[in-house]
Amino acid sequence: MNTHSPEVTFHHEPQEGQVKKIIKTTILLSVITIIELILGFVIYYMNKGEAPSTTLILFIKGVIVILSLLKAFYIVGVFMHLGDEIRNFALTIVVPLLLFVWFIAAFLWDGDSWKNLRNTVGGSKPYPQQTVAPKDAKKPGVE
Amino acid sequence: MATGATADIKWWGGGRSPFNVEYGKVMMWYFLMSDAFTFGAFLISYGTIRFSQNYWPDPNHVFNAFPFAGHANLPLAFVSLMTFILIISSVTMVLAVHAGHHNDKKGVIKWMIWTIIGGFAFLGCQAWEWTHLILGDHEVLINGTIEKIGTTVTRNPWGAEVLHNGTMVATPGPVAFGGYFFGITGFHGFHVFSGVVINIIMLLMAINGTFERRGHYNMIEKAGLYWHFVDLVWVFVFLCFYLV
């Protein structure tokens, strides 16, 4: 028994079926990872092929991102037992992380805008888009 | 407020811990939340730079090697191995925590040993991958001549390909690629390393019977939280560097 702190009265377990839950979650995480890998290979072969559809690739990448978030949910909820804690406590962890929503949107937006500025003729750094160039052309990517 | 004889416990009425979590565990959670922001900031910064470039190396092209496989083109293979090693070690950690809940000393020791082995296996994989990238020699067109360079924080052989003397040759890619890759996987690897050290200390304490005398295995739980966080971060490192 946990008798070290009289104020803490709540303890998850020991309950039956916990090991079963762990095994189930393990299988789930493995399956999600395998699906992610399959999608990764789909992108790989699409990029290798002629004229890959950028919209479709972007869509597959979006699916992979969602699957990763699902994995994060199961790791935090089951392996780290956050799902078994009192809801208010879980919220003090999860709610601040919502800052990431705007954080990600704002910075990726900024990065994209930076690229667009770079590619304008009068932009901060004219930057020719090229994959095949003559041998004495300006080399891309040299910062 | 509630007048009926419900089973509602007044968590905030005083006399008890409103979150019903032990102090050390609360603080571990808040530390992990702040650490999540650190990793998040790194990954978002990487995303910003990547979005600002016209050309970014294709991860399937960069990470396509496997130990003892020579020059075989095996995209995603090695990193999948690393991912599964980390997932499995996360599972053995949950089982150690579970054994701790049952005050099962033998179980805790057994599962902690497996977790530590998993941690070392992951670190070994990462060491191999870094070595392979840094020491790799790839033909790159630099100032009109072909040089053989590896991937470091200042050099990137994975740029766009151009036609040079009738053959396609890579040009130097954005240097930020190596900087972010080594910076973020290094920071994650450092977390794995410190996690392994913490786990070893927990294992020694368990063997010594420290937790048995204390009457609970809460320390295993806290070490477990840290270890799962390392696995959690890897989900996103794997996503940002290898998959998309």
Side-chain angles (χ1 to χ4, degrees):
Chain A
M1 270 300 287
N2 291 284
T3 49
H4 54 291
S5 165
E7 290 90 19
V8 178
T9 51
F10 173 82
H11 300 285
H12 13 255
E13 312 194 53
Q15 50 181 250
E16 289 316 304
Q18 197 69 19
V19 175
K20 225 178 189 175
K21 198 177 171 192
I22 294 169
I23 292 169
K24 237 173 95 181
T25 311
T26 310
I27 292 169
L28 198 69
L29 287 175
S30 307
V31 168
I32 296 176
T33 308
I34 289 166
I35 295 172
E36 282 185 339
L37 288 169
I38 291 169
L39 291 176
F41 276 111
V42 168
I43 293 178
Y44 174 66
Y45 284 108
M46 279 177 77
N47 274 331
K48 264 178 108 178
E50 286 295 304
S53 154
T54 33
T55 335
L56 191 57
I57 287 180
L58 203 66
F59 174 76
I60 296 174
K61 285 181 177 179
V63 172
I64 296 176
V65 170
I66 290 165
L67 288 175
S68 291
L69 289 173
L70 199 65
K71 264 164 78 176
F73 175 80
Y74 279 107
I75 291 172
V76 175
V78 179
F79 283 4
M80 295 169 93
H81 297 291
L82 193 62
D84 302 334
E85 302 290 359
I86 287 181
R87 195 157 163 269
N88 279 340
F89 177 63
L91 287 178
T92 65
I93 313 276
V94 174
V95 170
L97 292 177
L98 290 177
L99 281 170
F100 271 130
V101 176
W102 174 243
F103 200 21
I104 292 169
F107 275 87
L108 295 186
W109 200 339
D110 204 36
D112 191 52
S113 148
W114 188 359
K115 180 176 79 177
N116 293 337
L117 281 174
R118 230 176 221 183
N119 289 337
T120 54
V121 179
S124 53
K125 192 180 176 191
Y127 192 82
Q129 213 159 3
Q130 57 183 109
T131 42
V132 181
K135 122 189 193 194
D136 53 353
K138 257 190 84 178
K139 289 181 291 296
V142 185
E143 292 292 324
Chain B
M1 298 267 280
T3 46
T6 57
D8 279 340
I9 304 169
K10 284 202 172 76
W11 290 107
W12 298 89
R16 62 169 79 239
S17 160
F19 288 156
N20 223 344
V21 184
E22 188 217 353
Y23 174 77
K25 217 169 128 185
V26 175
M27 290 302 126
M28 179 54 93
W29 267 110
Y30 290 146
F31 163 70
L32 293 181
M33 182 180 72
S34 71
D35 218 16
F37 276 110
T38 311
F39 270 109
F42 284 164
L43 286 171
I44 291 167
S45 151
Y46 157 78
T48 309
I49 297 299
R50 184 170 165 172
F51 269 52
S52 77
Q53 302 284 328
N54 277 314
Y55 182 87
W56 197 260
D58 178 6
N60 289 320
H61 187 50
V62 181
F63 309 106
N64 68 347
F66 203 88
F68 312 113
H71 289 285
N73 179 32
L74 299 163
L76 287 172
F78 193 56
V79 72
S80 322
L81 175 69
M82 289 167 78
T83 304
F84 278 109
I85 287 174
L86 220 48
I87 290 179
I88 297 306
S89 83
S90 213
V91 173
T92 56
M93 187 78 223
V94 196
L95 292 171
V97 172
H98 181 71
H101 284 146
H102 291 276
N103 288 326
D104 169 13
K105 182 180 168 182
K106 265 192 186 151
V108 170
I109 292 171
K110 180 178 84 179
W111 292 117
M112 285 309 280
I113 288 173
W114 281 114
T115 309
I116 292 164
I117 291 172
F120 275 124
F122 181 85
L123 286 172
C125 289
Q126 202 165 40
W128 183 86
E129 189 175 45
W130 276 39
T131 313
H132 179 81
L133 278 174
I134 295 168
L135 299 182
D137 47 348
H138 305 276
E139 294 191 341
V140 178
L141 187 65
I142 299 171
N143 295 328
T145 54
I146 287 185
E147 279 181 44
K148 283 189 164 189
I149 61 171
T151 315
T152 66
V153 290
T154 54
R155 312 199 102 177
N156 176 358
W158 310 104
E161 294 201 326
V162 294
L163 198 61
H164 175 73
N165 291 343
T167 49
M168 295 302 279
V169 145
T171 54
V175 284
F177 178 80
Y180 278 110
F181 177 78
F182 290 117
I184 294 176
T185 59
F187 197 59
H188 175 264
F190 176 69
H191 273 72
V192 177
F193 176 73
S194 48
V196 169
V197 172
I198 291 169
N199 284 347
I200 289 173
I201 295 169
M202 291 304 121
L203 173 66
L204 294 179
M205 285 172 87
I207 291 171
N208 277 339
T210 315
F211 302 131
E212 212 168 26
R213 261 173 272 126
R214 244 180 235 178
H216 60 84
Y217 282 77
N218 280 359
M219 285 299 278
I220 297 284
E221 225 173 296
K222 284 172 247 176
L225 285 179
Y226 186 77
W227 190 253
H228 295 311
F229 178 74
V230 165
D231 183 29
L232 180 67
V233 169
W234 182 254
V235 168
F236 292 100
V237 172
F238 176 54
L239 171 73
C240 296
F241 281 101
Y242 299 91
L243 280 175
V244 301

